[in-house]
Amino acid sequence: MTTPIKAALLGASGYTGADLLRLGVRHPGIEFVYLTANTHAGKPMSSVFPHLGGVGLPDLITNEDVDFSKVDVVFCGLPHGTSQTLIAEIVGKNDHLRVIDMGADFRFRNPDHYQLAYGARHVAPELQAKAAYGLTEHNRDAIRDAKVIACPGCYPTATLLALLPLVRSGAMSTDDVIIDAKSGVSGAGRGLKQNTLMAEAGESVSPYAVGTHRHAPEIEQEISLVSGAPVAVNFTPHLIPMSRGELITAHVKLGNAQNADEVRAVLAQAYADEPFIRIADKGVIPSTAHVRGSNYCVLNVFEDRIPGRVIVIGVIDNLVKGSAGQAIQNFNLAFGFDEAAALEALPLFP
Amino acid sequence: MTTPIKAALLGASGYTGADLLRLGVRHPGIEFVYLTANTHAGKPMSSVFPHLGGVGLPDLITNEDVDFSKVDVVFCGLPHGTSQTLIAEIVGKNDHLRVIDMGADFRFRNPDHYQLAYGARHVAPELQAKAAYGLTEHNRDAIRDAKVIACPGCYPTATLLALLPLVRSGAMSTDDVIIDAKSGVSGAGRGLKQNTLMAEAGESVSPYAVGTHRHAPEIEQEISLVSGAPVAVNFTPHLIPMSRGELITAHVKLGNAQNADEVRAVLAQAYADEPFIRIADKGVIPSTAHVRGSNYCVLNVFEDRIPGRVIVIGVIDNLVKGSAGQAIQNFNLAFGFDEAAALEALPLFP
Amino acid sequence: MTTPIKAALLGASGYTGADLLRLGVRHPGIEFVYLTANTHAGKPMSSVFPHLGGVGLPDLITNEDVDFSKVDVVFCGLPHGTSQTLIAEIVGKNDHLRVIDMGADFRFRNPDHYQLAYGARHVAPELQAKAAYGLTEHNRDAIRDAKVIACPGCYPTATLLALLPLVRSGAMSTDDVIIDAKSGVSGAGRGLKQNTLMAEAGESVSPYAVGTHRHAPEIEQEISLVSGAPVAVNFTPHLIPMSRGELITAHVKLGNAQNADEVRAVLAQAYADEPFIRIADKGVIPSTAHVRGSNYCVLNVFEDRIPGRVIVIGVIDNLVKGSAGQAIQNFNLAFGFDEAAALEALPLFP
Amino acid sequence: MTTPIKAALLGASGYTGADLLRLGVRHPGIEFVYLTANTHAGKPMSSVFPHLGGVGLPDLITNEDVDFSKVDVVFCGLPHGTSQTLIAEIVGKNDHLRVIDMGADFRFRNPDHYQLAYGARHVAPELQAKAAYGLTEHNRDAIRDAKVIACPGCYPTATLLALLPLVRSGAMSTDDVIIDAKSGVSGAGRGLKQNTLMAEAGESVSPYAVGTHRHAPEIEQEISLVSGAPVAVNFTPHLIPMSRGELITAHVKLGNAQNADEVRAVLAQAYADEPFIRIADKGVIPSTAHVRGSNYCVLNVFEDRIPGRVIVIGVIDNLVKGSAGQAIQNFNLAFGFDEAAALEALPLFP
């Protein structure tokens, strides 16, 4: 057995941090030597997340107390806006370090677009230039060697896995792309908000951030890049009364494909060798329950009643393939492990 | 106090029948003299629905045991396909009878369209000609005097309340109308199906009947009628892990309106005097939780990121405004009661 | 029509306040002239609770801005500890005022017991002496004329409705009374707490406040009063992944009754004339779903496998019969209305 | 790598069967060569459980089509009453076979007790004599070599893990043992029942099988065996609106222990070396969410308000530690694997 890769996790008290640990502590090649959560520093991990007790994790400390010279990789689960400065600093001082960021700070290839979406000037544009957009299946070459791997947002992950092969092949048009998305409440994080209280979010469905969600420009960035022209998309997320899971319903116009079968065939071919992407059998409808807790993404395509259109459905677990699982998949790629290491678990159903 | 209207309810063992009773037993002008449920005949109502015990309802009997000469109105909650024959027969024999049907059998103005949607020839086309489509706010004149009032499906109710004023005014285009709908599981009825078991439907979201749902042609019928030309719509329903509630997210192109504010103004004007339709304040997002258990419908309009498009949101309780409440509203209209009688209850939140 | 009773509601931004309004705005004899919520003063009610919009409620103000000389009754939904001083003050200055308190501040007949349970000295012991414990079915004489009506906690309501007739009659023993209770999350209020986030409370069950919940001494007070000797009870509440509803499972030893049937008969006789208490048919199991949104309480009794013991089950809606509904029932009693006024709605099922 | 153990799974279309596969397909030493589901014979596994697609499982066949001479172990997930005959027959004909039964047919050490509980004569009493009760932590010696391993019911698993060390040590009394249990709906299986429809079970809590549940005599059997005298227990299960998870709240009298701390210490000592049993820190309340999807059991002990009593809390995932996980743990024990093989996954939270 080889020496494990030493890892720090910054932001261990949020759901994405917790899910990275849930998966990562069973990884044969990772040793977590530092876990940070500034407001919980000094506490054992089990006091913040009881389900992570008893597995030998180090106690929580502050970001300042990490000795980054002693780790090989930093997983970052900090909120957007807080990680740019920190990551730029630690990478600047520790040339050997690689960073896998689950936050939003390095997702925009153009720092100006970051500023437009997040309302603040990007403070590490040089490092941004060395960052790879971490949508594993579509960017392996860049991810493999990148200093910073910027894992996509959960919604962009599901959407781009569903649509990028169709945009690339021309099977779909990039006009009037409508992405009606549905997510469980864990996507809103562990912060205290009235709208994610069980009494409010349970037995209820509502859209949110209609027309203004920050994942829209991220989706547009990648679709535009592949299509070669600026694309605007409709992106309408809805809050669903469940903890985990994300479903996107993409209503799109056909491009050079003639019907749903041809569109489906493009996806099937694009993902034929992918371990985590499944194209459901014709007519079988994907459900978030069928990927719960796993790194899988299931896709399918259906005819629309309106001629010349199809409906593309995609499901992921927002915390796994949409965040922590994809981060580990990228880690595996970057550090030479089997891409599925620690991600083998099948979905938890029911 | 005047003599109450004597009513029979056919199909009292389903959710729509139960909700009609929940509301109707508190109506000052209705007396339920017959309740039918062929498979439960002989049982007290409380054995089928414990929440309806103790309020003096008659025991369940078969449809055959009803003496229709003794009632003034028949509420019908039978499954589609089963009520056409029965309703035609009882109306034929009892000239004084009026029927308020919560099922699908008389919703299609053209019997051929019924056959296309439901796969069976319409057996009472003459009676269909005397039926009124029971979307109260948009068809009062016809409902007031109709022999048969065919209450719309739950999805058409929410969709048409949101869109008909926009089609009529030309504010929206009828090209590429995309209706992404979400419903709680009570919409699937009380029949035993694997996909509505709690272990399957809980903690899960998935579309169903993609491109094939029977409410799509019903929506198309009414939009086409108002627009004056045949319209095809995308209609994609999703099953949400909650009992009640329905939300439609309509992604539409602007017609003669310039933006979301103008579209919103059209709705506000159309519904200014309606007791049950509310246009939410600008920017406020409707939630199904805010209409739960009530006859209210809340609407709002948002700008899309794609120029020339808007997003129209509508919420109802699928069993109330989407079925039993609308039936009572139509009863009130047809029998001269205040339209809100028995429907005054405010939404149950949380 | 007589002049309506003018009411102020203090603490209108919590769930109990909202439910009091949901019911109260449809009461034929109440006019809400003041609504308070100190942190939301100046806002319309609909901005705090959208489901209460459009019904003509006054905007929220601070407690200080209420002119108590202009109201007849004060409903109080303030957190415990905050209402004693305020209520003592306003009652002191406004001799005509009657107060119906949904909080805990006047529930303890002995101010020392309040201090033991809530950890603070009671500041209005003289007023406490004029307060009536507002368990309607068991204390009508006192409630009818009381200056302050202290509505019981939700758990004591369900527990005492189930057990008091059995203690009074001697049907059960007061030794080893074990009350295993289950409640939806609305019982925890609208305050932001991690454990009532949907991602935490959903798909989960856990006990809380084991052995330490403040409703235990309240239950003990009333049982001891009826039995004539100090009684200690086990009270173990559990948080259930639902919004509303409360179920108590009381595991008790038989007293002078021989079996479950006899115990059931005692309850049936005690509540024979009560409009809101139902004894389910023998063998029929009460469910919180069968009282949802209503002021009903359903009870039943079952044999235990251990000889000499029975299991008493009771269900209520914690926000209605357990709080706001009981408050209105007490209002009706105190102000001479039919006790069921504004409480006629049948349970919302499903 | 050694040759994998060849396994058949009988009853692969139920939830326990599915969870056995979810875990088992990632076991390094099991190869599933036959999967049966008589009503689904001929179908691929993915058509019954989409989440198990794409992992190379054999198609479903009938029990009759299995060649038991070609397998080493049979996992049995058949309903009670159906497996006795079949298991007796295949074990009779295939001397090498070992059977791990997740059903109830071999759980009663005395066949007469089986008859009392399940209402049918035991048809394989000789084989019963060779069966081991599969509560791993308390019966390893017998399990290691048994022909038939009868995995306990889910409720007995949680209850006995919590109480057996206390009975054995005398820390608790066996008088008046009250077990108030709560379970998610997956415990009711995948069969179609009205009470497990989402519209009925969601937003609801109710007890069921009060005083009559078949897991009660199973619990009594093991407690009586350890205590050396017949013990009757109260066992009152409740249906909780969630898919997975089981919590038992045991209200017990102290025996030779003086208080909750001493009781807790007995559990801590008994399970000090167990990989899957955790005693929560003092005061920390176990939640089913903290074991979801895992083979862990978490226990804790609390003081009661009634002197001389304590409250013991235990949580498991009913489908894992309560069924399929325990079956694999027993397999590991019986076939010489590390007891945690394929069971390493940490709980899925949130």
Side-chain angles (χ1 to χ4, degrees):
Chain A
M1 195 176 191
T2 56
T3 312
I5 307 294
K6 291 189 191 306
L9 167 62
L10 311 183
S13 62
Y15 291 144
T16 54
D19 233 32
L20 190 98
L21 290 173
R22 175 180 70 87
L23 298 165
V25 294
R26 296 311 195 208
H27 194 293
I30 304 181
E31 179 190 358
F32 287 96
V33 290
Y34 298 112
L35 306 180
T36 80
N38 283 4
T39 58
H40 295 282
K43 296 183 190 170
M45 194 65 203
S46 65
S47 75
V48 177
F49 285 112
H51 71 296
L52 296 177
V55 292
L57 286 169
D59 286 354
L60 293 163
I61 59 174
T62 63
N63 294 330
E64 290 67 36
D65 286 340
V66 176
D67 181 348
F68 289 100
S69 72
K70 298 202 172 145
V71 300
D72 307 301
V73 66
V74 172
F75 291 100
C76 186
L78 298 174
H80 68 80
T82 63
S83 50
Q84 275 172 11
T85 310
L86 181 62
I87 290 177
E89 181 190 322
I90 63 177
V91 167
K93 292 184 184 164
N94 299 274
D95 198 48
H96 71 291
L97 264 194
R98 299 182 70 178
V99 175
I100 300 177
D101 188 11
M102 298 183 284
D105 277 12
F106 291 94
R107 289 178 190 157
F108 283 86
R109 295 164 189 268
N110 181 337
D112 293 345
H113 293 177
Y114 174 84
Q115 185 166 356
L116 274 171
Y118 287 86
R121 190 181 176 79
H122 201 291
V123 299
E126 307 79 12
L127 190 55
Q128 178 66 61
K130 298 181 196 167
Y133 188 70
L135 186 69
T136 323
E137 286 79 2
H138 290 274
N139 206 24
R140 283 197 176 90
D141 287 348
I143 292 166
R144 202 172 277 116
D145 300 314
K147 199 79 189 156
V148 173
I149 300 168
C151 298
C154 53
Y155 286 123
T157 297
T159 304
L160 297 171
L161 288 174
L163 301 188
L164 277 194
L166 308 180
V167 173
R168 183 171 288 118
S169 69
M172 66 176 265
S173 162
T174 56
D175 289 346
D176 277 3
V177 176
I178 291 169
I179 302 154
D180 195 287
K182 294 89 181 169
S183 174
V185 294
S186 64
R190 208 183 200 189
L192 301 179
K193 299 171 199 161
Q194 193 179 72
N195 73 322
T196 55
L197 290 177
M198 172 114 197
E200 311 268 329
E203 278 287 302
S204 169
V205 61
S206 64
Y208 67 100
V210 181
T212 64
H213 197 286
R214 283 154 168 172
H215 285 179
E218 187 183 334
I219 293 167
E220 290 169 345
Q221 163 182 278
E222 297 301 304
I223 290 183
S224 299
L225 187 72
V226 167
S227 76
V231 174
V233 302
N234 166 308
F235 177 70
T236 313
H238 297 74
L239 192 63
I240 302 294
M242 60 185 194
S243 288
R244 284 175 181 249
E246 196 167 284
L247 179 143
I248 63 106
T249 310
H251 304 279
V252 303
K253 287 181 179 165
L254 289 170
N256 59 30
Q258 299 299 308
N259 52 43
D261 284 348
E262 289 188 20
V263 173
R264 208 172 153 276
V266 172
L267 292 176
Q269 186 178 349
Y271 295 125
D273 299 325
E274 289 295 343
F276 295 117
I277 317 292
R278 292 177 178 167
I279 314 304
D281 288 345
K282 181 173 177 174
V284 173
I285 292 178
S287 162
T288 58
H290 298 148
V291 296
R292 188 188 301 134
S294 82
N295 202 49
Y296 291 98
C297 169
V298 180
L299 305 172
N300 212 347
V301 186
F302 297 84
E303 297 290 349
D304 197 331
R305 293 175 67 83
I306 304 179
R309 303 187 67 96
V310 292
I311 302 159
V312 187
I313 307 286
V315 292
I316 60 170
D317 183 310
N318 55 304
L319 293 179
V320 188
K321 186 62 176 169
S323 185
Q326 187 162 229
I328 287 184
Q329 191 178 353
N330 286 331
F331 167 86
N332 288 334
L333 179 59
F335 284 83
F337 290 90
D338 181 301
E339 215 171 277
L343 300 173
E344 302 91 347
L346 293 180
L348 189 72
F349 178 88
Chain B
M1 193 178 193
T2 56
T3 312
I5 306 294
K6 292 189 190 306
L9 167 61
L10 311 184
S13 62
Y15 290 143
T16 54
D19 232 34
L20 189 98
L21 289 174
R22 176 180 70 86
L23 298 164
V25 295
R26 297 310 195 210
H27 194 293
I30 304 181
E31 179 191 357
F32 287 96
V33 291
Y34 298 112
L35 306 180
T36 79
N38 285 3
T39 59
H40 295 282
K43 296 184 189 168
M45 194 64 202
S46 65
S47 76
V48 176
F49 284 112
H51 72 296
L52 296 177
V55 292
L57 286 170
D59 286 354
L60 293 163
I61 60 174
T62 63
N63 294 330
E64 288 68 35
D65 286 340
V66 176
D67 181 348
F68 289 100
S69 71
K70 298 202 172 145
V71 301
D72 306 301
V73 64
V74 172
F75 291 100
C76 187
L78 298 173
H80 67 79
T82 63
S83 49
Q84 276 173 12
T85 310
L86 181 63
I87 291 177
E89 181 191 322
I90 64 177
V91 168
K93 293 184 183 163
N94 299 277
D95 198 50
H96 71 289
L97 265 194
R98 298 184 71 179
V99 176
I100 301 177
D101 188 12
M102 299 183 284
D105 278 12
F106 291 93
R107 289 177 190 158
F108 283 86
R109 297 163 189 267
N110 180 337
D112 294 345
H113 293 177
Y114 174 84
Q115 186 166 355
L116 273 171
Y118 287 85
R121 190 181 176 81
H122 201 290
V123 300
E126 307 77 13
L127 190 55
Q128 177 66 62
K130 300 181 194 166
Y133 188 72
L135 186 70
T136 323
E137 286 79 3
H138 289 274
N139 206 24
R140 282 197 176 90
D141 287 346
I143 293 167
R144 203 173 276 115
D145 301 313
K147 199 78 189 155
V148 173
I149 301 168
C151 298
C154 53
Y155 286 123
T157 297
T159 303
L160 297 171
L161 288 174
L163 301 188
L164 277 194
L166 308 181
V167 173
R168 182 170 289 119
S169 70
M172 65 176 265
S173 161
T174 56
D175 289 345
D176 277 4
V177 176
I178 291 168
I179 303 153
D180 194 288
K182 295 89 181 168
S183 175
V185 294
S186 64
R190 209 182 200 190
L192 301 178
K193 299 170 199 160
Q194 193 178 74
N195 73 321
T196 55
L197 291 177
M198 171 114 197
E200 311 268 329
E203 278 286 302
S204 169
V205 61
S206 63
Y208 66 100
V210 181
T212 64
H213 197 286
R214 284 154 167 171
H215 285 180
E218 187 184 333
I219 293 168
E220 291 169 345
Q221 162 182 279
E222 297 301 304
I223 290 184
S224 299
L225 188 72
V226 168
S227 75
V231 173
V233 302
N234 166 308
F235 177 70
T236 313
H238 297 74
L239 192 63
I240 301 295
M242 61 185 193
S243 287
R244 284 178 182 249
E246 196 167 286
L247 179 143
I248 62 107
T249 311
H251 305 279
V252 302
K253 288 183 178 165
L254 288 170
N256 59 30
Q258 299 299 308
N259 53 42
D261 285 348
E262 290 188 19
V263 173
R264 207 173 154 277
V266 172
L267 292 176
Q269 187 179 350
Y271 295 124
D273 298 326
E274 289 295 341
F276 295 118
I277 316 292
R278 294 177 177 167
I279 314 304
D281 287 345
K282 182 174 177 173
V284 174
I285 292 179
S287 162
T288 58
H290 298 148
V291 295
R292 187 188 301 135
S294 81
N295 202 48
Y296 290 99
C297 169
V298 180
L299 304 172
N300 213 346
V301 186
F302 297 85
E303 297 290 349
D304 197 333
R305 294 175 66 83
I306 305 179
R309 303 188 66 96
V310 293
I311 301 160
V312 187
I313 308 286
V315 292
I316 60 170
D317 182 310
N318 55 303
L319 293 179
V320 188
K321 186 61 173 168
S323 185
Q326 186 162 230
I328 287 185
Q329 192 178 352
N330 286 330
F331 167 86
N332 288 336
L333 179 59
F335 285 82
F337 290 91
D338 182 303
E339 216 173 277
L343 301 173
E344 302 91 347
L346 293 180
L348 187 73
F349 178 87
Chain C
M1 193 176 192
T2 56
T3 312
I5 307 294
K6 291 189 190 306
L9 167 62
L10 312 184
S13 62
Y15 290 144
T16 55
D19 232 32
L20 190 98
L21 289 174
R22 175 180 69 88
L23 297 165
V25 294
R26 296 310 194 209
H27 194 294
I30 304 180
E31 179 190 356
F32 289 96
V33 291
Y34 298 112
L35 306 180
T36 81
N38 284 2
T39 57
H40 295 283
K43 296 183 190 171
M45 194 64 202
S46 65
S47 76
V48 176
F49 284 113
H51 71 296
L52 297 175
V55 293
L57 287 169
D59 285 354
L60 294 162
I61 60 173
T62 64
N63 294 331
E64 290 67 35
D65 286 339
V66 177
D67 181 347
F68 289 100
S69 72
K70 298 203 172 143
V71 301
D72 307 300
V73 65
V74 172
F75 291 99
C76 186
L78 297 174
H80 67 79
T82 63
S83 50
Q84 275 172 13
T85 310
L86 180 62
I87 290 177
E89 182 190 321
I90 63 177
V91 168
K93 292 184 184 164
N94 299 275
D95 198 49
H96 71 290
L97 263 195
R98 299 183 70 177
V99 176
I100 301 177
D101 188 11
M102 298 182 284
D105 277 13
F106 292 93
R107 290 177 189 159
F108 283 87
R109 296 162 188 269
N110 181 336
D112 294 345
H113 293 176
Y114 174 84
Q115 186 167 356
L116 274 172
Y118 287 86
R121 190 182 177 79
H122 200 290
V123 300
E126 306 79 13
L127 190 55
Q128 177 65 60
K130 298 181 196 166
Y133 188 71
L135 186 68
T136 324
E137 285 79 3
H138 289 274
N139 205 25
R140 282 197 175 90
D141 287 347
I143 292 166
R144 202 172 277 114
D145 301 313
K147 199 79 189 153
V148 172
I149 301 169
C151 298
C154 53
Y155 286 124
T157 297
T159 303
L160 298 170
L161 288 175
L163 301 188
L164 277 194
L166 308 181
V167 173
R168 183 170 288 119
S169 69
M172 66 175 264
S173 161
T174 56
D175 290 345
D176 277 4
V177 176
I178 292 167
I179 303 153
D180 195 287
K182 294 90 181 168
S183 175
V185 295
S186 64
R190 208 183 200 190
L192 300 179
K193 298 169 198 161
Q194 193 179 73
N195 74 323
T196 53
L197 290 178
M198 171 114 199
E200 311 269 328
E203 277 287 303
S204 170
V205 60
S206 63
Y208 65 100
V210 181
T212 64
H213 197 285
R214 284 154 167 171
H215 285 179
E218 187 184 333
I219 293 168
E220 290 169 346
Q221 163 181 279
E222 296 302 303
I223 290 183
S224 299
L225 187 72
V226 168
S227 75
V231 174
V233 302
N234 166 308
F235 178 71
T236 312
H238 297 74
L239 192 63
I240 302 294
M242 60 186 193
S243 288
R244 285 176 180 249
E246 197 166 285
L247 180 143
I248 64 105
T249 311
H251 304 279
V252 303
K253 288 182 178 165
L254 288 170
N256 59 28
Q258 300 299 307
N259 53 43
D261 284 348
E262 290 188 18
V263 174
R264 208 172 153 278
V266 173
L267 292 176
Q269 188 179 349
Y271 295 125
D273 298 327
E274 290 294 344
F276 294 118
I277 317 292
R278 293 177 178 168
I279 314 303
D281 288 344
K282 182 173 176 172
V284 173
I285 293 178
S287 162
T288 58
H290 299 149
V291 296
R292 188 187 301 135
S294 82
N295 201 49
Y296 290 98
C297 169
V298 180
L299 305 172
N300 212 347
V301 187
F302 297 85
E303 298 289 349
D304 197 331
R305 293 175 67 84
I306 305 178
R309 302 187 68 96
V310 291
I311 302 159
V312 187
I313 307 287
V315 291
I316 60 170
D317 183 309
N318 56 304
L319 293 179
V320 188
K321 186 62 175 168
S323 186
Q326 188 162 227
I328 287 185
Q329 192 178 353
N330 286 330
F331 167 85
N332 288 336
L333 180 59
F335 285 81
F337 290 90
D338 180 301
E339 215 172 277
L343 300 173
E344 302 91 348
L346 293 180
L348 187 73
F349 178 88
Chain D
M1 193 179 194
T2 55
T3 312
I5 306 295
K6 290 187 190 308
L9 166 61
L10 312 183
S13 62
Y15 290 145
T16 53
D19 232 32
L20 189 98
L21 290 174
R22 175 181 69 87
L23 298 164
V25 295
R26 297 310 195 209
H27 194 294
I30 304 181
E31 179 190 356
F32 288 95
V33 291
Y34 298 112
L35 306 180
T36 80
N38 284 4
T39 58
H40 295 282
K43 295 184 189 170
M45 194 64 203
S46 65
S47 76
V48 176
F49 284 113
H51 71 296
L52 297 176
V55 292
L57 286 169
D59 286 354
L60 293 163
I61 59 174
T62 64
N63 294 331
E64 289 68 35
D65 285 340
V66 176
D67 181 348
F68 288 101
S69 71
K70 298 203 172 144
V71 301
D72 306 301
V73 64
V74 172
F75 291 100
C76 186
L78 298 174
H80 67 79
T82 63
S83 50
Q84 275 171 12
T85 310
L86 180 63
I87 290 177
E89 181 191 322
I90 63 177
V91 168
K93 292 184 183 163
N94 299 276
D95 199 48
H96 71 289
L97 265 194
R98 298 184 71 177
V99 175
I100 301 177
D101 188 12
M102 298 183 285
D105 277 12
F106 291 94
R107 289 177 190 158
F108 283 86
R109 296 163 189 269
N110 181 335
D112 293 346
H113 294 178
Y114 174 84
Q115 186 166 355
L116 274 171
Y118 286 86
R121 191 183 175 80
H122 200 290
V123 299
E126 307 79 13
L127 189 56
Q128 178 64 61
K130 298 180 194 167
Y133 189 72
L135 187 69
T136 323
E137 286 78 3
H138 289 275
N139 206 23
R140 283 198 176 88
D141 287 347
I143 292 166
R144 202 172 277 115
D145 301 314
K147 199 79 189 154
V148 173
I149 301 168
C151 298
C154 53
Y155 286 124
T157 297
T159 303
L160 297 170
L161 287 174
L163 301 188
L164 277 194
L166 308 180
V167 174
R168 183 170 287 119
S169 69
M172 66 175 264
S173 161
T174 56
D175 290 345
D176 278 3
V177 176
I178 291 168
I179 302 153
D180 195 286
K182 294 89 181 167
S183 174
V185 295
S186 64
R190 209 183 200 190
L192 301 179
K193 299 170 198 162
Q194 192 178 75
N195 73 323
T196 55
L197 290 178
M198 172 115 198
E200 310 269 328
E203 278 287 304
S204 170
V205 61
S206 63
Y208 65 99
V210 181
T212 64
H213 197 285
R214 285 155 167 171
H215 285 179
E218 188 184 333
I219 293 168
E220 290 170 345
Q221 162 182 279
E222 297 301 304
I223 290 183
S224 299
L225 187 73
V226 167
S227 76
V231 174
V233 302
N234 166 308
F235 177 70
T236 312
H238 297 73
L239 192 63
I240 302 295
M242 61 185 192
S243 288
R244 286 178 180 246
E246 197 168 285
L247 179 143
I248 63 107
T249 310
H251 304 279
V252 303
K253 288 182 177 164
L254 288 170
N256 59 30
Q258 299 298 308
N259 53 42
D261 284 347
E262 290 187 19
V263 174
R264 209 172 152 278
V266 172
L267 291 177
Q269 187 177 349
Y271 295 124
D273 299 326
E274 289 295 343
F276 294 117
I277 317 292
R278 294 177 178 167
I279 314 303
D281 287 345
K282 182 173 176 173
V284 174
I285 292 179
S287 162
T288 58
H290 299 148
V291 296
R292 187 187 302 135
S294 82
N295 201 49
Y296 290 99
C297 169
V298 179
L299 305 171
N300 212 347
V301 187
F302 298 85
E303 297 290 350
D304 197 333
R305 293 175 67 84
I306 306 178
R309 302 188 67 96
V310 292
I311 302 159
V312 187
I313 308 286
V315 291
I316 60 169
D317 183 310
N318 55 304
L319 293 180
V320 188
K321 186 62 174 169
S323 186
Q326 187 162 230
I328 287 185
Q329 192 178 352
N330 286 331
F331 167 86
N332 288 335
L333 180 58
F335 285 81
F337 291 90
D338 181 302
E339 216 172 275
L343 301 172
E344 302 91 347
L346 293 179
L348 187 73
F349 179 88

